[in-house]
Amino acid sequence: MHVKEDAVAERFVLARRAAREAGALLRSRLGSRMHAWAKDVRSNLVTEADTQSEALIRGLIQASFPDDVIVGEEGGPSAGNSGYRWLVDPLDGTVNYTHGYRCFCVSIALQWEGRLTFGVVYDPMADEEYAAQRGGGATCNGQPVSVSPVEKLEDALLVTGFPPYRPDDPNDNTKAFLAFFPRAQALRRDGSAALDLCYVAAGRLDGFWEPGLHAWDVAAGIVIVTEAGGRVTGYRGEEVRVDGGHIVASNGRIHDAMLAVLAGCG
Ligand code: IPD
Ligand code: CA
Ligand code: CA
């Protein structure tokens, strides 16, 4: 038992270091002329900054824990049999990044035998590090954070995101956006799912929903919101799937109201 706790603690320290170093790299390259490639559709981009950030994080993990699996957005999964699996988004908010819109982050999470163990999200422009270990509470720059006290949807500031646009995409979010619009106090779309989740954890936003996300987008944020006292589920209130899908995260108090709105969208 102690051996495993120590092993997780060592990885937590490394994750925080890797997120800060990768974030510093992103910050240093912001605004430099950099080519952005569309992976498939025009809003699904990858830049040199994404790949350099991922290489930095992979290098740090592999140097210390060569038998861990690393699932990075840009590099795919690596092999390993230690039971540990890292979920890495080296730059969440690439479209923002290419425009110099200062809402992006690095997101790193760890699973042990399939169970989420910790999450770290670093926002290099605000110099804010959100971190949480299962059972240990959530922090921002080392200070405890907790979700908002807002009780009603009509008083809630909600945030969402849209998957890269594809014609006939079953994950089209426009219907849900229109359904929430008259019911919430206001809606936002900031362009970084990992940071959206951290803002819910910190009580700056009251709820978040988005369809069709990937494990690297949400894994760290799920731990951080949960440890901040919030609730995270799928669209029907079911246990959230770490390996992607539809996600609702909230302060808990408005969660059922959010699920009811989503249920009405079919
Ligand atoms: C994207 C961001 C965005 C969300 C998209 C994601 P990326 O991730 O999290 O907020 O709406 O669905 O793909 O591509 O910038 O890492
Ligand atoms: Ca992402
Ligand atoms: Ca990314």
Side-chain angles (χ1 to χ4, degrees):
M1 186 64 183
H2 288 300
V3 173
K4 184 183 154 315
E5 279 174 12
D6 287 350
V8 170
E10 282 171 28
R11 285 168 172 84
F12 193 44
V13 170
L14 183 79
R16 296 172 77 168
R17 178 182 157 204
R20 279 192 176 270
E21 290 190 17
L25 183 152
L26 297 178
R27 190 170 52 224
S28 72
R29 299 219 50 191
L30 183 70
S32 60
R33 292 182 73 81
M34 190 182 302
H35 192 66
W37 294 268
K39 291 185 196 173
D40 45 13
V41 292
R42 68 171 182 272
S43 58
N44 193 15
L45 299 179
V46 58
T47 68
E48 281 167 20
D50 295 76
T51 51
Q52 288 173 0
S53 174
E54 184 159 325
L56 185 158
I57 296 164
R58 278 180 185 270
L60 286 172
I61 297 169
Q62 277 163 350
S64 298
F65 305 107
D67 294 328
D68 290 5
V69 171
I70 305 170
V71 181
E73 178 176 8
E74 310 307 339
S78 67
N81 58 10
S82 65
Y84 290 99
R85 184 171 179 251
W86 297 75
L87 300 163
V88 177
D89 194 334
L91 167 48
D92 187 52
T94 298
V95 172
N96 287 347
Y97 189 81
T98 60
H99 289 264
Y101 182 74
R102 294 164 168 234
C103 178
F104 55 87
C105 64
V106 178
S107 177
I108 302 176
L110 184 77
Q111 286 176 306
W112 160 250
E113 307 228 314
R115 190 174 147 73
L116 272 177
T117 305
F118 65 64
V120 177
V121 172
Y122 182 59
D123 173 348
M125 304 316 292
D127 189 23
E128 287 186 333
E129 180 216 60
Y130 300 87
Q133 252 188 290
R134 245 333 148 204
T139 59
C140 177
N141 288 347
Q143 300 302 311
V145 289
S146 57
V147 294
S148 75
V150 166
E151 296 278 355
K152 294 183 190 153
L153 200 52
E154 69 203 52
D155 297 324
L157 180 58
L158 304 181
V159 67
T160 189
F162 294 84
Y165 173 71
R166 295 179 177 86
D168 306 321
D169 188 347
N171 293 326
D172 181 4
N173 189 26
T174 53
K175 201 169 168 189
F177 191 88
L178 291 177
F180 275 112
F181 186 54
R183 292 179 169 91
Q185 184 179 63
L187 304 183
R188 299 286 180 263
R189 192 286 192 244
D190 273 347
S192 167
L195 266 189
D196 293 339
L197 287 164
C198 291
Y199 272 43
V200 172
R204 297 171 183 170
L205 295 166
D206 308 303
F208 165 71
W209 84 93
E210 183 168 345
L213 285 165
H214 298 280
W216 49 78
D217 298 309
V218 295
I222 289 171
V223 189
I224 293 166
V225 172
T226 308
E227 288 299 322
R231 186 174 165 201
V232 187
T233 68
Y235 274 21
R236 294 188 182 85
E238 75 278 19
E239 190 178 341
V240 68
R241 284 180 43 218
V242 177
D243 276 322
H246 300 6
I247 182 171
V248 189
S250 77
N251 64 1
R253 298 171 176 89
I254 61 162
H255 206 89
D256 288 342
M258 289 185 72
L259 294 177
V261 172
L262 290 164
C265 296

